[in-house]
Amino acid sequence: MKKAIYFYFLFFTLILNAQVKVISWNLENFGKSKSDSTIVFIANTVKDGDIVAIQEVVAGYGGAQAVARLADELNRKGSKWDYTISDPTTSSAYKTERYAFLWKTAKVKKIGDAWLEQKYNLEIDREPFFATFEYNKKQFTISNFHAITKSKQPETEIKYFKFLPTEYPDLNLIFLGDFNCPQSHTVFIPLRKMEYESVFFNQKTSLKKDCYNDDCLASEFDNIWYNKNKIKVVNSQVIPFYKFWSSLQEARKISDHIPIEMEFNIN
Protein backbone atom coordinates (compact mmCIF):
# COMPACT_ATOMS: atom_id res chain seq x y z
CA MET A 1 0.00 0.00 0.00
CA LYS A 2 2.82 2.40 0.94
CA LYS A 3 4.62 1.58 -2.30
CA ALA A 4 1.46 2.32 -4.33
CA ILE A 5 1.03 5.66 -2.56
CA TYR A 6 4.68 6.50 -3.24
CA PHE A 7 4.38 5.78 -6.97
CA TYR A 8 1.12 7.74 -7.16
CA PHE A 9 2.82 10.71 -5.48
CA LEU A 10 5.80 10.41 -7.83
CA PHE A 11 3.54 10.26 -10.89
CA PHE A 12 1.52 13.26 -9.71
CA THR A 13 4.72 15.22 -9.09
CA LEU A 14 6.03 14.40 -12.57
CA ILE A 15 2.73 15.54 -14.11
CA LEU A 16 2.95 18.86 -12.29
CA ASN A 17 6.56 19.35 -13.34
CA ALA A 18 5.68 18.58 -16.97
CA GLN A 19 4.34 22.10 -17.36
CA VAL A 20 6.02 25.48 -17.65
CA LYS A 21 4.61 28.51 -15.89
CA VAL A 22 5.38 31.94 -17.31
CA ILE A 23 4.44 35.22 -15.64
CA SER A 24 4.39 38.59 -17.40
CA TRP A 25 4.33 41.85 -15.48
CA ASN A 26 4.66 45.51 -16.41
CA LEU A 27 6.49 46.76 -13.30
CA GLU A 28 6.00 50.47 -13.78
CA ASN A 29 9.32 52.37 -13.74
CA PHE A 30 11.18 49.38 -12.37
CA GLY A 31 14.39 50.91 -11.09
CA LYS A 32 16.08 52.52 -8.13
CA SER A 33 12.80 54.00 -6.87
CA LYS A 34 11.65 50.49 -5.85
CA SER A 35 12.41 49.99 -2.17
CA ASP A 36 13.84 46.81 -0.69
CA SER A 37 10.43 45.95 0.76
CA THR A 38 8.88 46.41 -2.69
CA ILE A 39 11.45 44.05 -4.21
CA VAL A 40 10.61 41.46 -1.53
CA PHE A 41 6.89 41.81 -2.28
CA ILE A 42 7.45 41.40 -6.02
CA ALA A 43 9.61 38.32 -5.45
CA ASN A 44 6.95 36.73 -3.24
CA THR A 45 4.35 37.46 -5.93
CA VAL A 46 6.22 35.79 -8.81
CA LYS A 47 8.28 33.11 -7.04
CA ASP A 48 5.98 30.26 -8.17
CA GLY A 49 6.64 31.03 -11.84
CA ASP A 50 9.31 29.27 -13.89
CA ILE A 51 9.94 32.24 -16.19
CA VAL A 52 9.15 35.87 -15.38
CA ALA A 53 9.04 38.48 -18.16
CA ILE A 54 9.23 42.11 -17.04
CA GLN A 55 8.37 45.22 -19.00
CA GLU A 56 9.20 48.86 -18.20
CA VAL A 57 12.63 48.36 -16.67
CA VAL A 58 14.23 51.80 -16.37
CA ALA A 59 16.83 52.29 -19.11
CA GLY A 60 19.07 54.55 -17.05
CA TYR A 61 20.88 53.92 -13.80
CA GLY A 62 18.97 51.68 -11.42
CA GLY A 63 17.00 49.58 -13.89
CA ALA A 64 19.48 46.74 -14.39
CA GLN A 65 20.33 46.93 -10.70
CA ALA A 66 16.66 46.50 -9.76
CA VAL A 67 16.48 43.31 -11.84
CA ALA A 68 19.62 42.03 -10.11
CA ARG A 69 18.08 42.85 -6.73
CA LEU A 70 14.94 40.94 -7.67
CA ALA A 71 16.98 37.92 -8.83
CA ASP A 72 18.92 37.99 -5.57
CA GLU A 73 15.70 38.02 -3.57
CA LEU A 74 14.22 35.17 -5.63
CA ASN A 75 17.34 33.14 -4.96
CA ARG A 76 16.46 33.34 -1.26
CA LYS A 77 13.15 31.55 -1.89
CA GLY A 78 14.52 28.03 -2.35
CA SER A 79 15.18 27.89 -6.12
CA LYS A 80 18.13 29.04 -8.23
CA TRP A 81 17.25 31.87 -10.60
CA ASP A 82 19.16 33.48 -13.45
CA TYR A 83 18.29 36.56 -15.47
CA THR A 84 19.02 38.54 -18.62
CA ILE A 85 18.35 42.22 -19.34
CA SER A 86 17.97 43.88 -22.72
CA ASP A 87 19.90 46.88 -23.91
CA PRO A 88 17.78 50.03 -23.95
CA THR A 89 15.27 50.00 -26.79
CA THR A 90 16.81 51.86 -29.70
CA SER A 91 14.19 53.61 -31.79
CA SER A 92 11.99 55.18 -29.16
CA ALA A 93 11.23 58.83 -29.58
CA TYR A 94 8.68 58.30 -26.83
CA LYS A 95 10.42 56.57 -23.91
CA THR A 96 13.33 54.17 -24.11
CA GLU A 97 13.22 51.24 -21.69
CA ARG A 98 14.71 47.83 -21.02
CA TYR A 99 13.11 44.39 -20.75
CA ALA A 100 14.11 41.50 -18.51
CA PHE A 101 13.65 37.75 -18.18
CA LEU A 102 14.23 35.77 -14.99
CA TRP A 103 14.00 31.98 -14.86
CA LYS A 104 14.48 28.95 -12.63
CA THR A 105 17.60 27.21 -13.86
CA ALA A 106 16.43 23.80 -12.63
CA LYS A 107 13.28 24.03 -14.76
CA VAL A 108 14.30 25.69 -18.02
CA LYS A 109 17.51 26.49 -19.88
CA LYS A 110 18.09 29.64 -21.90
CA ILE A 111 19.42 28.84 -25.37
CA GLY A 112 21.89 31.33 -26.82
CA ASP A 113 21.72 35.07 -26.32
CA ALA A 114 18.51 37.05 -25.96
CA TRP A 115 18.02 39.83 -28.52
CA LEU A 116 16.04 42.93 -29.34
CA GLU A 117 14.09 42.78 -32.60
CA GLN A 118 16.20 44.27 -35.40
CA LYS A 119 14.21 44.16 -38.61
CA TYR A 120 11.21 46.14 -37.34
CA ASN A 121 12.96 48.22 -34.70
CA LEU A 122 12.14 51.42 -36.57
CA GLU A 123 8.47 50.55 -36.99
CA ILE A 124 8.02 49.33 -33.39
CA ASP A 125 8.80 52.05 -30.89
CA ARG A 126 10.05 49.79 -28.07
CA GLU A 127 11.12 46.77 -30.10
CA PRO A 128 10.36 43.40 -28.42
CA PHE A 129 12.99 41.39 -26.57
CA PHE A 130 13.32 37.71 -27.51
CA ALA A 131 14.71 34.81 -25.51
CA THR A 132 14.66 31.11 -26.38
CA PHE A 133 14.22 28.55 -23.61
CA GLU A 134 14.40 24.78 -23.56
CA TYR A 135 12.29 22.50 -21.42
CA ASN A 136 12.23 18.72 -21.68
CA LYS A 137 14.28 18.93 -24.91
CA LYS A 138 11.70 21.20 -26.53
CA GLN A 139 12.28 24.86 -27.28
CA PHE A 140 10.07 27.94 -27.28
CA THR A 141 10.86 31.62 -27.75
CA ILE A 142 9.21 34.40 -25.77
CA SER A 143 8.80 37.85 -27.26
CA ASN A 144 8.58 40.38 -24.43
CA PHE A 145 6.84 43.61 -25.48
CA HIS A 146 5.63 46.98 -24.21
CA ALA A 147 3.56 48.93 -26.72
CA ILE A 148 3.16 52.68 -26.94
CA THR A 149 0.23 54.07 -24.96
CA LYS A 150 -3.37 53.83 -26.10
CA SER A 151 -3.47 57.54 -27.00
CA LYS A 152 -0.60 56.99 -29.45
CA GLN A 153 -2.45 54.13 -31.23
CA PRO A 154 -0.45 50.98 -30.38
CA GLU A 155 -2.15 49.13 -33.24
CA THR A 156 0.10 51.08 -35.62
CA GLU A 157 3.08 49.07 -34.35
CA ILE A 158 1.34 45.85 -33.27
CA LYS A 159 0.42 45.33 -36.93
CA TYR A 160 4.05 44.37 -37.60
CA PHE A 161 3.75 41.34 -35.33
CA LYS A 162 2.06 39.48 -38.19
CA PHE A 163 5.47 39.38 -39.92
CA LEU A 164 7.39 37.90 -36.98
CA PRO A 165 6.31 34.23 -37.42
CA THR A 166 7.64 34.43 -40.99
CA GLU A 167 10.80 36.21 -39.90
CA TYR A 168 11.46 33.42 -37.36
CA PRO A 169 9.93 30.36 -39.06
CA ASP A 170 11.88 27.84 -36.98
CA LEU A 171 10.88 29.29 -33.62
CA ASN A 172 7.89 28.42 -31.45
CA LEU A 173 6.93 32.01 -30.68
CA ILE A 174 5.00 33.26 -27.66
CA PHE A 175 4.13 36.97 -27.66
CA LEU A 176 3.45 38.51 -24.28
CA GLY A 177 3.50 41.79 -22.42
CA ASP A 178 1.63 45.07 -22.26
CA PHE A 179 0.00 45.68 -25.64
CA ASN A 180 -2.02 48.70 -24.46
CA CYS A 181 -4.67 47.20 -26.70
CA PRO A 182 -7.44 44.62 -26.14
CA GLN A 183 -7.26 41.19 -27.77
CA SER A 184 -10.55 41.96 -29.54
CA HIS A 185 -8.92 44.65 -31.70
CA THR A 186 -8.84 43.91 -35.41
CA VAL A 187 -5.04 44.36 -35.46
CA PHE A 188 -4.76 40.84 -34.06
CA ILE A 189 -6.78 39.21 -36.86
CA PRO A 190 -3.67 38.30 -38.93
CA LEU A 191 -2.17 36.48 -35.94
CA ARG A 192 -5.43 34.62 -35.39
CA LYS A 193 -5.36 33.53 -39.03
CA MET A 194 -1.92 32.05 -38.32
CA GLU A 195 -3.43 29.92 -35.52
CA TYR A 196 -2.43 32.23 -32.68
CA GLU A 197 -4.78 32.68 -29.75
CA SER A 198 -4.78 34.96 -26.74
CA VAL A 199 -4.75 33.45 -23.27
CA PHE A 200 -7.10 36.09 -21.84
CA PHE A 201 -10.42 37.37 -23.14
CA ASN A 202 -12.15 40.45 -21.74
CA GLN A 203 -9.70 40.45 -18.82
CA LYS A 204 -8.74 43.89 -17.53
CA THR A 205 -5.17 44.13 -16.26
CA SER A 206 -4.41 47.78 -15.46
CA LEU A 207 -5.32 49.43 -12.17
CA LYS A 208 -7.74 52.28 -11.71
CA LYS A 209 -6.79 55.12 -9.39
CA ASP A 210 -9.64 54.19 -7.07
CA CYS A 211 -11.89 51.16 -6.67
CA TYR A 212 -15.63 51.52 -7.23
CA ASN A 213 -17.79 48.78 -5.70
CA ASP A 214 -14.74 46.46 -5.65
CA ASP A 215 -14.09 47.20 -9.33
CA CYS A 216 -10.40 48.11 -9.35
CA LEU A 217 -9.29 47.24 -12.89
CA ALA A 218 -9.40 49.69 -15.77
CA SER A 219 -8.33 48.32 -19.16
CA GLU A 220 -7.64 45.10 -21.05
CA PHE A 221 -3.99 45.69 -21.95
CA ASP A 222 -1.76 42.74 -20.94
CA ASN A 223 -1.97 39.37 -22.67
CA ILE A 224 -0.15 36.32 -23.99
CA TRP A 225 -0.44 35.05 -27.56
CA TYR A 226 0.58 31.51 -28.51
CA ASN A 227 0.32 29.14 -31.47
CA LYS A 228 -2.41 26.67 -30.54
CA ASN A 229 -0.86 23.98 -32.74
CA LYS A 230 2.40 24.11 -30.78
CA ILE A 231 1.33 25.08 -27.26
CA LYS A 232 -1.36 23.68 -24.99
CA VAL A 233 -2.46 26.02 -22.22
CA VAL A 234 -3.14 24.06 -19.04
CA ASN A 235 -4.00 26.92 -16.72
CA SER A 236 -4.07 30.71 -16.68
CA GLN A 237 -4.84 33.42 -14.19
CA VAL A 238 -4.25 37.03 -13.26
CA ILE A 239 -2.63 37.82 -9.93
CA PRO A 240 -4.59 40.58 -8.10
CA PHE A 241 -1.66 41.69 -5.95
CA TYR A 242 -3.44 44.94 -5.05
CA LYS A 243 -5.73 43.06 -2.69
CA PHE A 244 -2.81 42.75 -0.27
CA TRP A 245 -2.72 46.53 0.13
CA SER A 246 -5.04 48.83 2.03
CA SER A 247 -5.53 51.14 -0.94
CA LEU A 248 -4.88 51.32 -4.65
CA GLN A 249 -2.58 54.27 -4.00
CA GLU A 250 -0.32 51.96 -2.01
CA ALA A 251 -0.63 49.13 -4.56
CA ARG A 252 0.26 51.46 -7.42
CA LYS A 253 3.66 52.06 -5.81
CA ILE A 254 4.36 48.49 -6.95
CA SER A 255 2.82 48.90 -10.40
CA ASP A 256 -0.24 50.14 -12.26
CA HIS A 257 -0.60 46.69 -13.87
CA ILE A 258 -1.28 43.26 -12.42
CA PRO A 259 0.77 40.17 -13.38
CA ILE A 260 -0.66 37.63 -15.82
CA GLU A 261 0.23 33.96 -15.79
CA MET A 262 0.10 31.04 -18.23
CA GLU A 263 0.92 27.41 -17.49
CA PHE A 264 1.48 25.32 -20.59
CA ASN A 265 2.78 22.18 -22.25
CA ILE A 266 4.67 22.07 -25.54
CA ASN A 267 3.07 19.86 -28.16
Side-chain angles (χ1 to χ4, degrees), residues 208-217 248:
K208 293 181 176 180
K209 292 187 177 180
D210 294 290
C211 295
Y212 300 97
N213 296 322
D214 293 326
D215 182 11
C216 305
L217 298 177
L248 277 192

Side-chain angles (χ1 to χ4, degrees), residues 19-87:
Q19 299 159 5
V20 178
K21 184 183 294 183
V22 61
I23 295 174
S24 174
W25 198 354
N26 178 333
L27 282 170
E28 182 184 19
N29 292 321
F30 191 59
K32 62 181 180 180
S33 65
K34 302 299 185 186
S35 66
D36 289 343
S37 61
T38 293
I39 294 292
V40 170
F41 180 86
I42 292 169
N44 285 329
T45 303
V46 303
K47 66 181 180 180
D48 292 333
D50 300 313
I51 301 171
V52 178
I54 299 175
Q55 303 90 46
E56 210 167 314
V57 177
V58 172
Y61 179 79
Q65 291 83 351
V67 177
R69 290 162 60 203
L70 177 57
D72 183 61
E73 186 60 36
L74 285 168
N75 277 318
R76 303 173 192 270
K77 306 299 180 184
S79 297
K80 177 68 175 68
W81 290 75
D82 201 351
Y83 66 94
T84 186
I85 308 167
S86 77
D87 291 331

